């Protein structure tokens, strides 16, 4: 966890903010994202020297796909992508014993007599290698041989793809289809404590238990595509590793470019299979993965009956936002619990270590230990692409890796020295580094020293500074790395007396981020009607209005009347000018604004408002006379920074036309010609061009009129109104002219 804590800070030099932040690492998840070399990470977030990791054998192959141990302890390694089989003796001496005519050896098994069997792909065949000679033992007609496992009776189970079948081959070489899963691939095989076959599939991540030919029971339907590894225990518990990165899919893609017309297909047709299940005969469907977990699978009833199962193979799409891999524990009563899961790492193999579980992943070839309380500890990191297989041996736990293929041994004693590199920290801007401090337990003779480096690219490269000289004062050592946006630290461990390891459990670094100026992105000015009390006050303001007196004659004795004022029709609420702006601060600082204005023909800015914390200001439209104006917004981050380091920026608007005055409209004396009347209208606006003219005849609907020159587009225009077939009598003509600001000027004339 990386926490940013705001402290009370001293004034900083110009350009740097006034609040100190800290980068602190002290939990398992904090440290897990770093790089480990001979350093372990305990489940409670403590760094210490790891068990010694020795490189035992390097066959110069990209992948070690499979490992099998013979009764005498000899190991046999199946590799890719040259299809080579190696023998590794107890002393760590490796020998090439066979090169297949296929590029991949995904599966190796050794029988009780020490005879080796190897499965090749992508032209799936099983070979028996004895006394330096390889003989084809079984050809299932499948593309892939994913897993080989010997049964207690000496027969060999063969897990294949791309039709997801399991074959059983007797010692004499006689074969039968033991189970058709309807899946694309059978990816893992194991024998449980009662001698029953366990099988894992892809792409629906189903774990089966088989009690005989075509007698299968689904133990678990995982929500990840591939069952990668199966580890049965003597008490009936089964540990299962599942992953979303699908080794079968990955390995198939390796061959797709060279497979010719028979390229890799990871989907299978609809298949009807016969599955023996305990209980009444019934039609059942092997369903695609569910989202909920864990699941509880019912125990088999006592009597077994045969049922036909129609299985539709479904390809699972893996969502990067969900778990990438997981470890499941299936209890003897078939209940299931999830022991561990990850969104970042694929798990490849499991191994037992007493009452603890070991597993390997693809994140720099890591090896983890999972305790009984389900808390993981990072034991070692090989630095390779992935830890593909884990093998128990008398010399210690062995790890087979891929990308490059090597065999490592995890020794009992700790390494004499090692180092850990923290993940790169992003301060979001150039920062001035303060002190690095840490908490550590230091046995006699042990030593830890820290180094730092900095740069302005997200990943360390040759543009970064060199590692600094060692920092040795735990309570706070000044960081000498150059000011930059990114920082990384590294701690070097040295074992003490009798190999005792120092332990680091917390590291923090203080820094002062550069104060980045705010950004004023836009300014907009608009006219809006007044609302609320403003509109009420405007509508009730005194107006230059004529009043008349109405006297009613009732025939009674005349009386003096005080007069009745005529009703006044109020104007629409007055307009106001709304000035708004958009601004932000890269550091997230609180901003304060100052607003200025200047007329087009003026030289100096006038203060309109200061200390504004809102992003807008409303003004009475009448407060500025008609004309063109500029507005300037100055944004400052001083509410969040010391005066010495506060930054500001500004933006000037485009010219804004303020026009509050309506056009002046004059109507000339009408010219009558028979039953037609022609009226000439002149309209002038002092500020903006005219946009529209319309008239109303005897208070009927408005009728538009275009300017005499054809286009209404200048501050002064003449309009001609021609009325035809005007009936005799008195008529009212009202003319209304708008300018570009929406102001309307009106005039009327009465014709008789």
């Amino acid at each position: 966890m990386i926490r940013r804590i705001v402290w009370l800070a001293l004034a900083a030099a110009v350009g740097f903010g006034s609040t100190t932040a800290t980068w602190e690492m002290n939990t398992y998840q904090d440290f897990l994202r770093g790089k480990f070399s001979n350093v372990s990470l305990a489940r409670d977030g403590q760094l210490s020297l790891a068990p010694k990791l020795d490189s035992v054998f390097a066959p110069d192959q990209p992948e070690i796909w499979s490992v099998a141990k013979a009764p005498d302890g000899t190991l046999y390694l199946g590799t890719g992508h040259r299809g080579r089989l190696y023998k590794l003796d107890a002393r760590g001496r490796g020998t090439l014993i066979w090169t297949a005519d296929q590029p991949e050896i995904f599966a190796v098994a050794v029988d009780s007599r020490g005879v080796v069997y190897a499965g090749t792909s992508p032209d799936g065949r099983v070979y028996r290698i004895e006394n330096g000679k390889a003989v084809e033992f079984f050809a299932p007609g499948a593309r892939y041989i994913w897993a080989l496992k010997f049964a207690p009776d000496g027969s060999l189970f063969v897990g294949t793809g791309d039709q997801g079948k399991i074959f059983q081959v007797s010692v004499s070489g006689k074969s039968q289809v033991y189970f058709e899963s309807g899946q694309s691939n059978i990816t893992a095989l194991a024998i449980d404590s009662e001698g029953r076959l366990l099988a894992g599939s892809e792409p629906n991540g189903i774990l089966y238990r088989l009690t005989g030919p075509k007698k299968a029971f689904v133990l678990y339907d995982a929500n990840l595509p591939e069952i990668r590894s199966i580890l049965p225990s003597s008490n009936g518990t089964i540990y299962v590793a599942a992953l979303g990165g699908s080794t079968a899919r990955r390995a198939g893609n390796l061959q797709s470019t060279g497979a010719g017309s028979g390229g890799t297909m990871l989907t299978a047709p609809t298949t009807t299979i016969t599955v023996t299940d305990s209980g009444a005969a019934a039609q059942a469907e092997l369903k695609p993965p569910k989202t909920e977990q864990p699941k509880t699978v019912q125990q088999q009833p006592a009597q077994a009956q045969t049922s036909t199962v129609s299985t539709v193979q479904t390809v699972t799409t893996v969502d990067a936002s969900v778990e990438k891999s997981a470890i499941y524990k299936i209890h003897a009563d078939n209940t299931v619990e999830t022991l561990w899961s990850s969104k970042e790492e694929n798990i490849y193999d499991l191994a037992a270590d007493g009452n603890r579980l070991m597993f390997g992943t693809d994140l720099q070839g890591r090896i983890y230990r999972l305790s009984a309380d389900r808390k993981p500890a990072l034991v070692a990191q090989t630095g390779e692409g992935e830890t593909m297989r884990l093998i128990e041996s008398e010399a210690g736990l062995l790890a087979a890796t891929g990308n490059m293929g090597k065999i490592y041994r995890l020794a009992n004693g700790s390494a004499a020295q090692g180092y850990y590199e923290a993940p790169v920290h992003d301060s979001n801007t150039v920062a001035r580094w303060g002190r690095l401090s840490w908490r550590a337990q230091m046995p006699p003779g042990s030593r830890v020293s820290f180094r730092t480096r900095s740069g302005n690219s997200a990943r360390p490269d040759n543009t970064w500074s060199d590692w600094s000289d060692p920092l040795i004062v735990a309570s706070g050592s000044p960081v000498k790395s150059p000011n930059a946006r990114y920082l990384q630290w590294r701690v070097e461990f040295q074992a003490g007396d009798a190999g005792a390891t120092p332990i680091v459990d917390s590291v923090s670094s203080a820094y002062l981020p550069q104060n980045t100026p705010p950004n004023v992105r836009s300014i907009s000015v608009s006219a809006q009607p007044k609302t609320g009390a403003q509109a009420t006050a405007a509508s009730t303001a005194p107006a230059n209005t004529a009043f008349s007196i109405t006297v009613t004659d009732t025939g009674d004795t005349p009386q003096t009347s005080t007069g009745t004022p005529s009703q006044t029709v109020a104007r629409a609420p007055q307009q106001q000018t709304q000035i708004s702006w958009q601004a932000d601060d890269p550091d997230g600082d609180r901003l304060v604004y100052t607003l200025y204005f200047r007329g087009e023909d003026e030289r100096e800015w006038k203060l309109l408002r200061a200390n504004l914390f809102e992003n807008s200001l409303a003004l009475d439209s009448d407060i500025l006379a008609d004309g063109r104006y500029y507005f300037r917004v100055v944004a400052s981050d001083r509410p969040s920074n010391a005066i010495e380091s506060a930054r500001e920026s500004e933006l000037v608007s485009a010219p804004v036309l303020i026009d509050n005055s309506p056009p002046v409209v004059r109507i000339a004396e009408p010219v009558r010609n028979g039953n037609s009347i022609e009226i000439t209208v002149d309209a002038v606006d002092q500020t903006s061009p005219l946009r529209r003219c319309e008239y109303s005849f005897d208070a009927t609907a408005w009728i538009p009129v275009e300017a005499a020159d054809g286009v209404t587009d200048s501050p002064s225009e003449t309009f001609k109104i021609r009325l035809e077939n005007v009936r005799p009598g008195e008529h009212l003509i009202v003319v209304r002219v708008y300018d570009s600001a929406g102001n309307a000027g009106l005039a009327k004339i009465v014709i008789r």
Side-chain angles (χ1 to χ4, degrees):
M1 178 177 63
I2 299 177
R3 296 187 296 238
R4 180 172 171 135
I5 305 174
V6 177
W7 287 358
L8 180 63
L10 301 176
V14 174
F16 284 86
S18 61
T19 54
T20 299
T22 60
W23 170 29
E24 186 174 354
M25 297 180 63
N26 55 22
T27 69
Y28 178 84
Q29 291 299 329
D30 290 343
F31 291 117
L32 188 60
R33 298 185 299 111
K35 180 180 179 181
F36 299 79
S37 178
N38 287 335
V39 170
S40 291
L41 175 61
R43 61 188 186 180
D44 52 0
Q46 293 182 329
L47 297 172
S48 62
L49 286 169
K52 188 177 180 181
L53 192 66
D54 297 324
S55 178
V56 176
F57 178 57
D60 193 28
Q61 300 298 303
E63 306 280 350
I64 297 179
W65 290 118
S66 52
V67 180
K69 185 165 64 172
D72 63 357
T74 301
L75 298 181
Y76 293 90
L77 318 177
T79 69
H81 309 298
R82 298 176 185 173
R84 292 180 175 179
L85 182 68
Y86 291 86
K87 176 182 178 181
L88 186 66
D89 64 21
R91 296 182 180 181
R93 293 178 300 186
T95 306
L96 175 64
I97 63 172
W98 180 57
T99 299
D101 60 358
Q102 293 293 303
E104 314 295 336
I105 300 178
F106 291 128
V108 178
V110 183
D111 68 12
S112 59
R113 298 183 297 112
V115 179
V116 185
Y117 293 77
T120 63
S121 298
D123 183 13
R125 297 175 187 272
V126 179
Y127 291 86
R128 180 172 58 206
I129 300 95
E130 190 174 9
N131 299 323
K133 295 182 180 180
V135 178
E136 183 178 304
F137 176 69
F138 176 56
R143 287 186 56 79
Y144 299 101
I145 307 296
W146 294 117
L148 299 174
K149 193 67 180 179
F150 279 100
D153 64 2
S155 62
L156 180 64
F157 289 113
V158 182
T160 68
D162 53 356
Q163 295 182 3
K165 296 179 181 179
I166 300 174
F167 294 86
Q168 185 181 31
V169 188
S170 67
V171 176
S172 62
K174 183 179 180 181
S175 65
Q176 66 169 330
V177 176
Y178 195 75
F179 177 56
E180 294 184 58
S181 68
Q183 296 282 291
S184 292
N185 300 281
I186 295 296
T187 52
L189 295 174
I191 302 296
D192 70 8
S193 58
E194 298 183 22
R196 298 170 296 190
L197 180 64
L198 303 172
S201 70
E202 188 273 346
N204 287 343
I206 299 174
L207 176 67
Y208 304 92
R209 180 170 61 210
L210 293 105
T211 55
K214 303 179 182 180
K215 296 180 180 179
F217 180 76
V218 174
L219 277 177
Y220 191 53
D221 181 359
N223 67 344
L224 290 168
E226 179 178 340
I227 301 298
R228 171 61 181 168
S229 179
I230 307 170
L231 180 64
S233 63
S234 58
N235 63 3
T237 299
I238 302 170
Y239 298 94
V240 177
L243 71 155
S246 182
T247 304
R249 193 176 302 275
R250 170 190 161 195
N253 290 338
L254 291 174
Q255 307 303 328
S256 60
T257 57
S261 59
T264 302
M265 289 291 293
L266 291 182
T267 57
T270 301
T271 307
T272 301
I273 62 177
T274 302
V275 177
T276 299
D277 194 1
S278 303
Q283 293 292 326
E285 183 182 1
L286 300 182
K287 298 181 180 179
K290 308 295 189 302
T291 56
E292 68 272 12
Q293 66 164 325
K295 304 177 186 176
T296 301
V297 184
Q298 299 296 325
Q299 276 281 52
Q300 303 179 40
Q303 296 182 350
Q305 304 226 358
T306 299
S307 60
T308 300
V309 180
S310 178
T311 303
V312 179
Q313 142 74 52
T314 305
V315 176
T316 303
T317 300
V318 180
D319 186 348
S321 65
V322 300
E323 279 70 23
K324 198 172 183 179
S325 61
I327 299 175
Y328 306 113
K329 181 179 181 180
I330 303 176
H331 297 271
D333 62 356
N334 292 354
T335 57
V336 182
E337 61 177 313
T338 301
L339 300 182
W340 176 90
S341 64
S342 173
K343 296 180 181 178
E344 291 81 30
E345 301 178 61
N346 269 316
I347 182 172
Y348 286 99
D349 202 13
L350 301 171
D353 180 24
N355 62 348
R356 297 174 298 186
L357 197 64
M358 308 294 291
F359 61 96
T361 75
D362 63 351
L363 187 58
Q364 301 181 65
R366 289 179 172 178
I367 302 171
Y368 290 89
R369 179 187 294 117
L370 192 66
S371 60
D373 57 3
R374 300 194 295 184
K375 291 185 178 180
L378 175 57
V379 177
Q381 182 169 291
T382 66
E384 306 298 338
E386 54 263 320
T387 296
M388 301 295 299
R389 295 295 180 188
L390 296 175
I391 313 99
E392 300 173 68
S393 74
E394 294 180 358
L397 185 71
L398 300 179
T401 65
N403 189 30
M404 288 290 297
K406 295 181 180 180
I407 297 291
Y408 290 90
R409 179 175 57 238
L410 204 62
N412 293 325
S414 296
Q417 57 187 14
Y419 69 86
Y420 168 81
E421 287 182 8
V424 172
H425 177 66
D426 182 4
S427 64
N428 297 314
T429 183
V430 174
R432 173 176 292 155
W433 313 118
R435 295 177 180 272
L436 186 78
S437 59
W438 60 90
R439 292 198 309 266
Q441 303 173 35
M442 304 297 297
S446 65
R447 185 175 73 250
V448 296
S449 59
F450 283 76
R451 300 176 187 268
T452 63
R453 63 178 175 178
S454 60
N456 286 306
S457 57
R459 293 186 178 182
D461 54 24
N462 56 11
T463 67
W464 275 51
S465 68
D466 294 332
W467 287 107
S468 68
D469 293 334
L471 309 177
I472 57 176
V473 180
S475 59
S477 296
V479 174
K480 300 299 184 181
S481 299
N483 296 340
R485 174 171 174 172
Y486 300 97
L487 180 70
Q488 186 181 35
W489 57 259
R490 165 182 171 140
V491 56
E492 298 167 351
F493 291 78
Q494 182 68 47
D497 299 344
T501 176
I503 297 174
V504 174
D505 58 16
S506 177
V507 183
S508 64
S509 175
Y511 61 95
L512 187 67
Q514 175 184 327
N515 184 21
T516 308
N519 296 318
V520 183
R521 301 192 179 278
S522 64
I523 302 175
S524 62
V525 182
S526 61
Q528 296 184 0
K530 291 183 179 179
T531 58
Q534 291 178 324
T536 303
S539 64
T540 57
N544 186 15
T545 306
F547 290 86
S548 64
I549 299 175
T550 301
V551 179
T552 302
D553 186 1
T554 61
D556 298 332
T557 303
Q559 297 180 357
T560 302
S561 174
T562 59
T564 302
S566 61
Q567 180 180 354
T568 301
V569 179
R571 285 183 58 188
Q574 293 183 358
Q575 298 287 315
Q576 61 183 5
T577 300
Q578 183 84 12
I579 307 168
S580 304
W581 54 92
Q582 295 294 327
D584 55 59
D585 188 271
D587 304 326
D589 293 339
R590 189 184 184 195
L591 300 180
V592 63
Y593 307 100
T594 305
L595 181 62
Y596 299 88
F597 77 98
R598 176 176 65 82
E600 188 176 40
D601 55 351
E602 299 170 6
R603 292 180 296 179
E604 297 182 359
W605 291 101
K606 286 83 174 172
L607 177 64
L608 198 55
R609 291 289 190 279
N611 297 320
L612 288 167
F613 288 93
E614 295 79 18
N615 288 66
S616 63
L617 178 67
L619 303 172
D620 287 340
S621 294
D622 298 338
I623 204 169
L624 297 174
D626 291 358
R628 291 181 179 274
Y629 293 87
Y630 295 91
F631 295 93
R632 183 176 67 151
V633 174
V634 179
S636 172
D637 61 7
R638 66 176 184 269
S640 299
N641 294 275
I643 295 176
E644 296 87 348
S645 59
R647 306 289 297 274
E648 65 179 32
S649 63
E650 64 178 48
L651 183 67
V652 177
S653 72
V656 177
L657 177 64
I658 302 294
D659 184 1
N660 295 314
S661 302
V664 176
V665 182
R666 294 185 176 86
I667 303 177
E669 189 68 26
V671 177
R672 185 184 293 275
N673 184 8
N675 290 335
S676 64
I677 298 176
E678 186 175 283
I679 302 173
T680 300
V681 178
D682 293 312
V684 178
D685 192 271
Q686 298 300 317
T687 307
S688 60
L690 303 178
R691 285 291 179 258
R692 188 168 86 251
C693 175
E694 53 194 9
Y695 73 92
S696 173
F697 183 83
D698 286 344
T700 55
W702 293 100
I703 300 173
V705 181
E706 202 53 73
D709 62 4
V711 181
T712 306
D713 60 354
S714 66
S716 176
E717 295 283 3
T718 297
F719 303 91
K720 300 290 187 178
I721 300 174
R722 186 174 181 84
L723 305 175
E724 301 288 349
N725 301 318
V726 180
R727 66 179 185 274
E730 186 176 83
H731 301 282
L732 173 66
I733 308 298
V734 178
V735 180
R736 181 167 64 183
V737 180
Y738 287 92
D739 61 18
S740 59
N743 300 309
L746 293 93
K748 72 174 183 177
I749 187 172
V750 177
I751 58 176
R752 298 180 175 83

